[in-house]
Amino acid sequence: MSAMQNPSFPVFDLGRFEAASATQKKALGREVDHICRGTGFLAVTNHGVPQAVIDAAWSKAKAFFDLPPEEKQRSKAPYKGYPYGYLGPELEALAKSRNVDTPPDLKESFNGGPLSVPPGIEDPEALAFCYAETIWPAEPAGFVEAWKAYYAALEDLALRIMRVFATALGLPETYFDPFLDAPISALRALNYPEQHVAPKPGQIRAGAHTDYGSLTILLPQPGSRGLQIVTPDGEWAEVPPIPGAFVINIGDLMARWTNDRWVSTVHRVVNPPAQQGGKDRRQSMAFFHQPNWNAEITVLGACLAEGEAPKYGPVRSGPYLMGKFKATTK
């Protein structure tokens, strides 16, 4: 099986799908459809991203977060709401995207956007937001090169996963390609520091939220704990890091696209157990895949039963993302 229960988490072999016949791809697509209807989370193995690219990005991100606070602040976002650069501790509350008021999250991040501005993009909001310049750090040496190589590899991986998703929805494999030739995806390196001060009531590492775009590709720290999702029965369940795998989850835009056939699952990152005294630093890298700025996201006919009306009207990818993002920054 390419999609199997690990005993509690589905794992999908991307390389097997890409090498399969058309008939086999349809069968594998049905497995993915089943997963996306249930939890919207799966692990992808045999993904083809070179380990050297992953290791370089991971180690440079860790080295950046190890820098003194004043050094990290040199690459901070220049004003509130600026999407890229360094975002220090307790400046974001993700639960607010679901209208839940909580203390700010116990994390810091470095954020970067598309590697270039495609020809023909003139929308001032697009240029000021998604295509804003990334505020690169001067240290550690090699950070920018490692980051860009990883971003490019993940952009390619996201396109390939979207082809799996198209197959899973009974669409032509390349159906989504025209929506993704100039994606406005963002890469975020996250660091959850050791907790030397007790969290405030209701304060955790990342508040309960859904992601905003088409899909997210997460690289969790090997052996780490704390990432949890809401299961179909309403309980919180741990997402285990699986060696050699990326964790994929559906975002809000894909749920809209599929008329909620697929689940944009609520997830969070909880604090380390109190008995550990907070001495449990956690790192991850999240690639938030987002269709082209001007892509119009309209409920897919393939996801509507005969006579069924769409739950959602059309939205443009970029402005939709902006509205979500602005709700979460402090």
Side-chain angles (χ1 to χ4, degrees):
M1 293 283 287
S2 73
M4 58 187 179
Q5 295 301 320
N6 159 50
S8 61
F9 201 72
V11 180
F12 185 79
D13 184 326
L14 179 58
R16 183 185 173 199
F17 173 87
E18 291 179 333
S21 67
T23 301
Q24 290 170 326
K25 283 182 174 180
K26 286 182 179 179
L28 295 171
R30 285 192 290 272
E31 295 181 21
V32 171
D33 180 43
H34 177 74
I35 294 164
C36 292
R37 287 173 185 255
T39 65
F41 264 76
L42 66 156
V44 169
T45 58
N46 196 12
H47 46 69
V49 178
Q51 191 62 41
V53 170
I54 295 171
D55 291 345
W58 187 267
S59 64
K60 295 300 180 184
K62 183 178 186 302
F64 172 78
F65 289 125
D66 286 345
L67 293 171
E70 61 272 16
E71 185 64 34
K72 288 183 282 192
Q73 290 291 346
R74 292 177 190 272
S75 56
K76 71 177 180 180
Y79 54 82
K80 177 187 172 184
Y82 192 87
Y84 307 132
Y86 175 65
L87 195 64
E90 300 195 50
L91 291 178
E92 185 176 57
L94 288 173
K96 288 184 178 179
S97 65
R98 301 176 62 238
N99 297 314
V100 178
D101 194 17
T102 65
D105 298 338
L106 295 169
K107 66 177 187 296
E108 59 181 340
S109 64
F110 185 86
N111 308 275
L115 302 182
S116 62
V117 182
I121 294 289
E122 297 176 352
D123 187 318
E125 285 192 319
L127 294 170
F129 187 77
C130 291
Y131 291 107
E133 288 189 29
T134 298
I135 314 299
W136 296 112
E139 300 289 339
F143 179 96
V144 177
E145 294 78 11
W147 183 278
K148 288 183 175 181
Y150 185 80
Y151 185 104
L154 271 284
E155 195 169 63
D156 175 69
L157 176 60
L159 176 64
R160 291 158 56 213
I161 293 170
M162 289 292 286
R163 289 173 178 168
V164 176
F165 285 175
T167 304
L169 292 166
L171 299 166
E173 189 173 335
T174 57
Y175 177 86
F176 292 117
D177 284 22
F179 297 87
L180 308 173
D181 54 6
I184 49 173
S185 306
L187 175 59
R188 163 172 270 201
L190 292 144
N191 185 55
Y192 305 91
E194 293 182 1
Q195 295 180 355
H196 298 289
V197 177
K200 300 181 183 75
Q203 187 175 39
I204 59 176
R205 286 180 151 177
H209 65 286
T210 56
D211 292 341
Y212 312 144
S214 38
L215 62 92
T216 301
I217 305 176
L218 179 72
L219 179 65
Q221 184 172 328
S224 62
R225 295 177 297 170
L227 176 62
Q228 299 180 341
I229 62 172
V230 174
T231 61
D233 60 5
E235 300 296 319
W236 286 105
E238 191 90 1
V239 176
I242 295 166
F246 288 106
V247 175
I248 312 297
N249 66 273
I250 300 300
D252 297 342
L253 209 58
M254 183 58 75
R256 288 182 72 105
W257 231 337
T258 62
N259 212 42
D260 289 336
R261 169 170 161 172
W262 286 3
V263 178
S264 180
T265 304
V266 176
H267 54 287
R268 66 184 183 182
V269 180
V270 298
N271 298 322
Q275 61 266 31
Q276 292 182 6
K279 303 274 192 274
D280 185 14
R281 175 178 170 178
R282 185 181 196 276
Q283 185 178 322
S284 64
M285 295 185 76
F287 183 81
F288 299 99
H289 188 240
Q290 184 81 19
N292 303 358
W293 174 271
N294 283 317
E296 187 172 271
I297 311 303
T298 304
V299 170
L300 296 162
C303 296
L304 293 173
E306 188 174 347
E308 183 182 4
K311 296 180 183 179
Y312 305 104
V315 292
R316 280 199 306 149
S317 170
Y320 175 82
L321 174 66
M322 282 187 68
K324 288 280 192 173
F325 183 83
K326 287 177 177 177
T328 65
T329 49
K330 188 179 175 188

